């Protein structure tokens, strides 16, 4: 059990954070908190890619005289990191659109609380 | 020359048009619409050329910046993606022609943003169809989704709230998809679909790959509004402007269904699909069948035409899911044919609701009378034809999609799917005849207090809206008669060899 936690603690942390984010999106009544939950979920996914690309003791993909060229396994795969730059941009844009919609909702209904909002929409 | 570049040219045309429209619109507002029409016509031209080449010479592969596929990003045009892409471009072209008056009437002063966003949406969707790379697909999916949220938000008062719900659900879907891709990438070390398909037999038993596939399917199902993940769809379609709905409804969910096709039939190993993943396929099918029934029942309960059509869309997505789940040539043909037919039918029906909104000021079913038939005879005729096709009566296109699905269900003795198909036909009759009965038979009420203001403008819709509507309605008959040709020449080549 302890070994499992030691080996996978990053993934366990990410799974917990992902669940917290999903919980916030589904259960919280305030639309702003839903957006926060969405942000947590997006950040967790990005972290998941990064953690997946991590390797103990390995270096960046630039020729390092200490590591040499004998063992290419000692260089990290840079692809997930660069991909996640794109994913971060996407997450930021989604957050921006979500906040813009929240501003629109607030201007129209003067509330961000879902039950009140549903009442005012009738 | 064009044919070898077609895969990249189609999304780029849309993206370029999206950038061009605000510039052109700043000089001359009317030119924005023209640019959108020309952009989509050009993309349609490229996709037709691409489709011809693909059918004659096989798959076209375009390597972005000249990097070879497993490392670089590949755009692929094979019979399946060429067909879906031609469908996208065709629908867009017609919607853009239709849009001018409807957009001016429903969302005045927002035309430029609207046209620019619709081109952006199409750029994303066309990219999703063309790309041969799982991560690239995610990026295009988000481009399409973000443009879609904004398009949905430009509508009536409640549109913002429904757009927000759509955004929350859509983001969850995209995140699930991205997590799934991460797990597959960690296991295979590649993102290229063809490459993954080759490596799949080596890693397919690892739990990571199976969880990854399930997450991808889950994310895609959210995006295609598969029951019970459809809650965002009716609101989003009802409160958006008619043109936006006519654009998103026929093709938005279809492209997500296409992703499901692509992943399940072209990336996953066939033997694996038939054994370990069979449960996954069956769950998709049962959810589809449940969606068919649920969507149809909810459609009967609605009193607003657009909302009724939106619930009917939930049901139609179910047909495609059932076709995927059958995983047989007949199911494949049925699902693709139904995707084509449904795109044409739904687009036509949403056009009709737009015509009614323009002339009556509303599209409430309980307030329709036979005055509608007298004042808008052509629109009513188009509605009847499209409704008959939705129900699935023989000479129209809608029949043949359901026919292949039913044959596929019988072939594999899936009686639950077959009964869902048959029951939904009866339910379709119920909700379409309800409208047709009012449209043709219900006399205008003499007291008419509520109608007095609405009887002022009652005439047929303007030609720019009527001609696309009639064109789509007639093409339903054409598609119905030409279905054998479409199946043999366009759909059969796209079925993967092992199926």
């Amino acid at each position: 059990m302890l070994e499992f936690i030691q080996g996978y603690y990053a993934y366990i942390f990410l799974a917990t954070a992902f669940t917290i984010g999903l919980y916030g999106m589904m259960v919280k009544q305030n639309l702003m908190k839903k957006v926060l939950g969405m942000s947590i979920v997006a950040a967790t996914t990005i972290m998941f890619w990064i953690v997946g690309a991590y390797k103990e003791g390995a270096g960046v993909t630039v020729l390092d005289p200490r590591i040499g060229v004998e063992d290419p396994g000692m260089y990290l795969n840079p692809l997930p990191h660069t991909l996640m730059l794109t994913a971060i941009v996407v997450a930021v844009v989604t957050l921006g659109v979500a906040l813009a919609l929240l501003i629109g909702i607030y201007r129209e209904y003067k509330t961000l609380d879902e039950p009140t909002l549903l009442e005012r929409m009738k | 020359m064009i044919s070898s570049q077609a895969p990249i040219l189609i999304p780029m045309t849309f993206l370029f048009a999206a950038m061009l429209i605000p510039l052109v619109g700043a000089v001359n507002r009317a030119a924005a619409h023209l640019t959108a029409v020309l952009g989509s016509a050009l993309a349609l031209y490229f996709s037709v050329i691409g489709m011809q080449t693909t059918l004659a010479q096989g798959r076209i592969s375009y390597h972005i910046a000249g990097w070879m596929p497993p490392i670089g990003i590949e755009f692929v045009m094979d019979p399946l993606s060429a067909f879906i892409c031609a469908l996208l471009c065709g629908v867009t072209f017609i919607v853009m022609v239709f849009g001018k008056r409807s957009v001016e009437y429903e969302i005045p002063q927002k035309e430029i943003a609207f046209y620019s966003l619709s081109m952006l949406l199409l750029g994303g969707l066309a990219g999703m169809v063309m790309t041969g790379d799982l991560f690239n697909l995610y990026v295009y999916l988000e481009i399409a989704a973000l443009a879609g949220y904004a398009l949905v938000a430009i509508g009536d008062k409640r549109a913002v709230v429904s757009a927000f719900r759509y955004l929350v659900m859509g983001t969850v879907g995209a995140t699930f998809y991205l997590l799934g891709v991460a797990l597959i990438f960690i296991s295979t070390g590649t993102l290229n679909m063809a490459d993954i398909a080759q490596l799949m037999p080596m890693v397919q038993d690892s739990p990571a790959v199976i969880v990854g596939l399930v997450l991808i399917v889950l994310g895609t199902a959210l995006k295609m509004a598969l029951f019970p993940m459809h809650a965002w769809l009716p609101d989003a379609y009802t409160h958006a402007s008619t043109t936006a709905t006519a654009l998103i409804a026929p093709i938005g969910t279809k492209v997500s269904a296409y992703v499901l096709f692509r992943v399940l039939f072209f990336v996953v190993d066939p033997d694996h699909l038939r054994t370990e993943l069979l449960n996954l396929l069956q769950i998709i099918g049962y959810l589809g069948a449940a969606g068919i029934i649920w969507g149809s029942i909810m459609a009967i309960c609605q009193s607003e035409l657009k909302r009724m059509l939106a619930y009917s869309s939930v049901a139609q997505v179910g047909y495609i899911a059932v076709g995927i789940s059958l995983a047989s040539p007949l199911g494949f043909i049925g699902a693709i044919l139904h995707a084509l037919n449904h795109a044409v039918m739904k687009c036509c029906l949403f056009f009709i609701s737009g015509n009614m909104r323009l002339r009556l000021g509303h599209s409430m079913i309980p307030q329709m009378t036979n005055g509608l038939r007298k004042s808008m005879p052509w629109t009513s005729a188009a509605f009847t034809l499209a409704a008959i096709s939705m129900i699935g009566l023989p000479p129209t296109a809608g029949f043949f999609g359901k026919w292949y699905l039913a044959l596929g269900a019988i072939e594999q003795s899936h009686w639950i799917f077959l009964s869902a198909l048959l029951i939904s036909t009866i339910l379709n009759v119920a909700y379409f005849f309800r409208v047709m009965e009012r449209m043709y038979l219900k006399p205008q009420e003499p007291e008419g207090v509520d109608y007095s203001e609405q009887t002022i403008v009652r005439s047929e819709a303007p030609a720019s809206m009527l001609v696309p509507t009639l064109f789509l309605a007639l093409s339903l008959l054409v598609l119905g008669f030409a279905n054998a040709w479409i199946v043999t020449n366009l759909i059969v080549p796209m079925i993967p060899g092992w199926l």
Side-chain angles (χ1 to χ4, degrees):
Chain A
M1 185 65 196
L2 265 178
E3 275 170 23
F4 178 79
I5 294 175
Q6 212 170 17
Y8 291 96
Y9 69 94
Y11 293 101
I12 294 168
F13 167 75
L14 287 178
T16 320
F18 191 84
T19 320
I20 292 172
L22 270 187
Y23 171 83
M25 288 173 87
M26 290 190 292
V27 180
K28 287 292 170 192
Q29 302 282 338
N30 190 303
L31 298 186
M32 195 64 215
K33 287 185 181 166
K34 281 184 195 285
V35 173
L36 287 178
M38 200 176 82
S39 241
I40 295 175
V41 166
T44 321
T45 314
I46 293 167
M47 290 294 287
F48 184 79
W49 277 80
I50 305 286
V51 171
Y54 175 76
K55 196 182 274 177
E56 189 77 46
V60 290
T61 339
V62 178
L63 182 60
D64 189 338
R66 280 171 302 167
I67 301 175
V69 286
E70 287 79 35
D71 184 11
M74 289 314 287
Y75 292 100
L76 282 179
N77 184 354
L79 190 60
H81 301 80
T82 42
L83 291 180
M84 282 313 106
L85 284 179
T86 320
I88 289 169
V89 173
V90 169
V92 169
V93 176
T94 314
L95 191 62
V97 175
L99 292 176
L101 288 176
L102 281 189
I103 292 172
I105 292 174
Y106 192 80
R107 280 193 186 144
E108 191 75 53
Y109 297 101
K110 298 283 173 241
T111 180
L112 287 179
D113 186 52
E114 205 166 23
T116 329
L117 180 69
L118 288 176
E119 200 140 289
R120 292 190 189 170
M121 275 171 71
K122 276 177 190 159
Chain B
M1 170 62 197
I2 287 177
S3 59
S4 64
Q5 317 282 329
I8 187 80
L9 277 176
I10 298 163
M12 284 308 137
T13 310
F14 282 123
L15 291 178
F16 188 65
M19 302 299 131
L20 200 62
I21 285 170
L23 295 177
V24 173
V27 181
N28 181 351
R29 288 187 84 80
H33 173 253
L34 195 67
T35 317
V37 172
L38 288 180
S40 41
L42 192 63
L44 179 61
Y45 170 71
F46 289 144
S47 62
V48 168
I49 288 195
M51 189 155 87
Q52 278 175 342
T53 320
T54 314
L55 289 172
Q57 300 162 12
R59 148 188 215 280
I60 309 172
S61 160
Y62 181 88
H63 311 142
I64 289 182
W67 292 93
M68 289 313 281
I71 295 171
I73 294 170
E74 185 187 21
F75 270 42
V76 182
M77 206 170 201
D78 60 1
L80 176 62
S81 62
F83 179 82
I84 300 282
C85 199
L87 177 65
L88 291 186
C89 299
V91 168
T92 315
F93 175 65
I94 294 171
V95 172
M96 285 301 133
V97 172
F98 171 89
K100 188 168 176 15
R101 289 293 298 274
S102 180
V103 170
E104 276 170 11
Y105 170 73
E106 285 184 26
I107 40 173
Q109 305 304 317
K110 291 177 184 159
E111 295 102 329
I112 294 173
F114 178 87
Y115 292 126
S116 182
L117 283 170
S118 27
M119 288 294 111
L120 202 56
L121 169 81
L122 258 293
L125 292 178
M128 277 169 82
V129 175
M130 282 299 142
T131 187
D133 184 283
L134 283 178
F135 187 80
N136 202 237
L137 200 155
Y138 166 77
V139 175
Y140 277 111
L141 181 127
E142 283 288 22
I143 293 177
L146 287 164
Y149 308 144
L151 272 181
V152 167
I154 309 179
D156 64 14
K157 255 179 75 175
R158 293 183 183 186
V160 203
V161 182
S162 50
F164 181 76
R165 286 206 186 119
Y166 181 18
L167 183 141
V168 171
M169 297 296 273
T171 309
V172 176
T175 312
F176 278 153
Y177 177 83
L178 188 59
L179 265 182
V181 174
L183 285 165
I184 290 191
F185 177 74
I186 288 170
S187 309
T188 60
T190 174
L191 289 166
N192 184 284
M193 290 182 196
D195 207 24
I196 294 176
Q198 284 189 344
L199 294 172
M200 217 41 159
M202 287 179 245
V203 292
Q204 62 191 12
D205 292 325
S206 97
V209 169
I210 293 175
V211 172
L213 282 173
V214 170
L215 282 172
I216 288 182
V217 169
L218 193 63
T220 323
L222 250 164
K223 284 273 178 194
M224 76 183 250
L226 188 65
F227 179 86
M229 291 165 271
H230 66 278
W232 55 269
L233 185 142
D235 277 341
Y237 284 9
T238 313
H239 301 302
S241 67
T242 309
T243 318
T245 318
L247 191 64
I248 299 172
I251 53 185
T253 48
K254 301 295 174 308
V255 173
S256 304
Y258 161 85
V259 175
L260 216 51
F261 267 108
R262 186 55 78 187
V263 171
L264 287 178
F265 293 145
F266 292 86
V267 174
V268 176
D269 185 50
D271 297 329
H272 195 220
L273 189 71
R274 290 226 192 279
T275 51
E276 309 264 315
L277 290 175
L278 196 64
N279 287 333
L280 185 64
L281 271 185
Q282 285 191 331
I283 289 171
I284 295 174
Y286 287 126
L287 289 181
I292 293 175
I293 303 290
W294 177 253
S296 304
I297 290 175
M298 288 306 283
I300 294 179
C301 307
Q302 304 307 319
S303 60
E304 213 271 339
L305 185 62
K306 262 172 90 179
R307 206 171 171 79
M308 182 187 104
L309 295 176
Y311 271 108
S312 150
S313 281
V314 175
Q316 308 299 321
V317 165
Y319 288 114
I320 300 175
V322 165
I324 292 174
S325 151
L326 289 173
S328 66
L330 281 172
F332 196 100
I333 294 172
I336 296 285
L337 197 60
H338 193 77
L340 164 72
N341 295 338
H342 176 244
V344 178
M345 297 187 280
K346 233 347 117 46
C347 193
C348 181
L349 285 165
F350 275 116
F351 280 2
I352 289 161
S353 78
N355 292 352
M356 287 180 183
R357 286 195 167 201
L358 183 73
R359 286 308 183 210
L360 301 179
H362 69 88
S363 51
M364 301 296 291
I365 298 167
Q367 292 175 26
M368 289 176 187
T369 60
N370 67 358
L372 202 59
R373 168 187 53 123
K374 287 174 190 149
S375 56
M376 304 172 80
W378 291 107
T379 303
S380 308
F383 182 85
T384 312
L385 199 57
I388 287 174
S389 178
M390 285 293 287
I391 293 163
L393 293 178
T396 50
F399 168 74
F400 295 99
K402 288 190 185 180
W403 176 247
Y404 281 107
L405 287 176
L407 283 181
I410 292 171
E411 186 191 52
Q412 300 189 11
S413 317
H414 266 301
W415 306 120
I416 294 182
F417 294 168
L418 186 66
S419 42
L421 288 171
L422 295 179
I423 293 170
S424 92
T425 304
I426 299 170
L427 295 172
N428 271 328
V429 171
Y431 64 79
F432 278 113
F433 274 31
R434 192 170 60 112
V435 182
M436 273 152 71
E437 185 224 335
R438 290 181 182 280
M439 206 179 250
Y440 281 96
L441 299 175
K442 192 176 175 230
Q444 267 171 302
E445 288 177 29
E447 65 260 43
V449 187
D450 298 328
Y451 304 102
S452 52
E453 50 198 289
Q454 285 148 11
T455 41
I456 306 167
V457 255
R458 283 216 169 172
S459 58
E460 193 49 90
S464 71
M465 290 165 77
L466 190 63
V467 171
T469 316
L470 288 176
F471 174 77
L472 286 180
L474 286 178
S475 64
L476 285 173
L477 280 177
V478 176
L479 286 176
F481 285 118
N483 85 87
W485 185 86
I486 294 175
V487 169
T488 350
N489 289 303
L490 302 181
I491 301 184
V492 169
M494 66 177 78
I495 299 176
W498 54 271
L499 206 62

